[in-house]
């Protein structure tokens, strides 16, 4: 019987902090959310410390690292300020993303080709701090090739365009975006990179992505936090994990 590679779920808990910050107090606590998603079957915790600290804050990163037994994936822009915080927090992984102050969420992948000379030593420094570095890239061969020539061990493929296509009514667009993700995952894997994916994944669109055999981790946040309002956070995480595992074992469609 063929054995498939298991697929992990990293839960992005940024928006627990968004809700907390709306009132300025300590509730709801991202650390408590991390413990809950861990007990519901999540395989990792992801948190994005943005330059403007609009959701997760420096103390959250420290508290998450101390309190959760799951691997902590520190999403960040490639800046000296973030480098310093990584050297204190020592997360399991760092996912480098482009950051633009005015965006609502990460809008595109990192331009690894265009910033290669700057990113290469930055990635090596993070790796020397013990972090497994991941680069968030669009499903474009040139970006993946550039990622493969750095010390990064992982690429996370941006699934935002696929998410957008799923909101429309043209199945050809959905298939075209999915094909880009599949091709990018195969290419990254052929270069020896571990392949993750994320952005805009939901109960409705996760399965075709989870079925791509080279992808070993999905990072999902906004949809899970929204669904938590209706079905509870633990139930939402459990349902997402079930859908991913079903897709992986061929049970989709
Ligand atoms: N992966 C990366 C690199 C991201 O920037 C984000 C959004 O913060 C996610 C995954 C999760 O995306 P979403 O919140 O749409 O599930």
């Amino acid at each position: 019987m063929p054995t498939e590679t298991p697929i992990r779920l990293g839960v992005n808990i940024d928006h627990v902090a968004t809700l907390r910050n709306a009132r300025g107090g300590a509730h709801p606590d991202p650390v408590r959310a991390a413990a809950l998603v861990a007990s519901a079957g999540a395989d990792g915790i992801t948190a994005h410390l943005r330059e403007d600290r609009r959701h997760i804050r420096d103390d959250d990163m420290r508290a998450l690292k101390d309190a959760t037994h799951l691997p902590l994936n520190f999403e960040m822009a490639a800046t000296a300020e973030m480098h310093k915080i990584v050297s204190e927090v020592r997360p399991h992984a760092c996912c480098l993303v482009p950051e633009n102050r005015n965006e609502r969420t990460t809008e595109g992948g990192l331009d690894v080709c265009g910033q290669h000379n700057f990113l290469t030593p930055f990635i090596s420094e993070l790796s020397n701090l013990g972090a497994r570095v991941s680069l968030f890239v669009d499903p474009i061969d040139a970006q993946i090739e550039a990622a493969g020539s750095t010390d990064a061990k992982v690429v996370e493929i941006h699934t935002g365009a696929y998410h957008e296509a799923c909101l429309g009514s043209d199945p050809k667009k959905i298939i075209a975006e999915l094909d880009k993700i599949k091709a990018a995952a195969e290419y990254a894997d052929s270069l020896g990179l571990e392949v993750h994916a994320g952005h805009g994944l939901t109960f409705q669109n996760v399965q075709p992505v989870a079925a791509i055999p080279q992808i070993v981790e999905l990072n999902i946040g906004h949809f899970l936090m929204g669904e938590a309002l209706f079905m509870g956070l633990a139930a939402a995480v459990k349902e997402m994990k079930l859908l991913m595992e079903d897709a992986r074992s061929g049970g989709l469609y």
Side-chain angles (χ1 to χ4, degrees):
M1 218 174 113
T3 51
E4 70 269 358
T5 320
I7 186 155
R8 304 188 296 264
L9 171 62
V11 175
N12 182 316
I13 54 158
D14 293 347
H15 298 304
V16 178
T18 304
L19 195 57
R20 174 197 62 193
N21 298 352
R23 273 291 168 99
H27 182 80
D29 179 5
V31 170
R32 185 172 163 204
L36 185 68
V37 304
S39 66
D43 304 287
I45 301 297
T46 293
H48 185 175
L49 186 65
R50 295 188 76 104
E51 184 195 6
D52 62 9
R53 309 301 197 268
R54 69 174 72 155
H55 37 58
I56 292 291
R57 296 174 180 151
D58 305 39
D59 283 350
D60 292 322
M61 295 308 296
R62 295 187 192 100
L64 285 165
K65 175 68 196 323
D66 290 346
T68 172
H69 65 280
L70 291 182
L72 176 63
N73 178 24
F74 188 146
E75 254 187 52
M76 57 187 266
T79 64
E81 184 196 21
M82 290 300 147
H83 177 279
K84 186 165 177 293
I85 299 167
V86 169
S87 69
E88 290 164 25
V89 173
R90 301 294 178 118
H92 167 80
C94 291
C95 179
L96 297 184
V97 300
E99 214 173 278
N100 164 3
R101 227 169 229 276
N102 299 320
E103 68 191 357
R104 282 209 186 133
T105 179
T106 315
E107 281 168 356
L110 199 62
D111 181 10
V112 191
C113 300
Q115 294 181 283
H116 198 262
N117 291 348
F118 162 69
L119 285 173
T120 300
F122 191 86
I123 293 165
S124 300
E125 283 171 28
L126 292 181
S127 305
N128 291 338
L129 290 171
R132 197 168 163 77
V133 180
S134 159
L135 304 182
F136 188 50
V137 292
D138 290 319
I140 296 172
D141 279 1
Q143 296 294 350
I144 291 166
E145 188 178 350
S149 70
T150 70
D151 276 345
K153 298 281 183 281
V154 181
V155 281
E156 180 168 328
I157 298 173
H158 194 319
T159 52
Y162 164 72
H163 160 73
E164 289 296 327
C166 291
L167 296 177
S169 55
D170 183 352
K172 283 198 198 116
K173 267 195 187 159
I174 300 175
I175 291 167
E177 291 304 333
L178 196 57
D179 283 348
K180 287 185 203 167
I181 299 169
K182 282 183 189 164
E186 277 172 26
Y187 184 52
D189 182 64
S190 78
L191 297 179
L193 290 160
E194 185 172 305
V195 190
H196 300 176
H199 211 280
L201 296 176
T202 67
F203 289 160
Q204 288 72 35
N205 69 17
V206 73
Q207 288 205 303
V209 178
I212 298 171
Q214 293 84 5
I215 295 179
V216 297
E217 180 174 310
L218 298 180
N219 283 298
I220 308 181
H222 185 267
F223 176 83
L224 286 174
M225 296 306 152
E227 204 56 25
L229 295 174
F230 305 109
M231 64 190 292
L233 183 53
V237 169
K238 280 183 191 157
E239 175 71 13
M240 188 63 86
K241 193 82 197 279
L242 265 181
L243 289 166
M244 287 165 54
E245 284 169 348
D246 270 5
R248 199 58 159 200
S249 58
L252 85 162
Y253 306 127

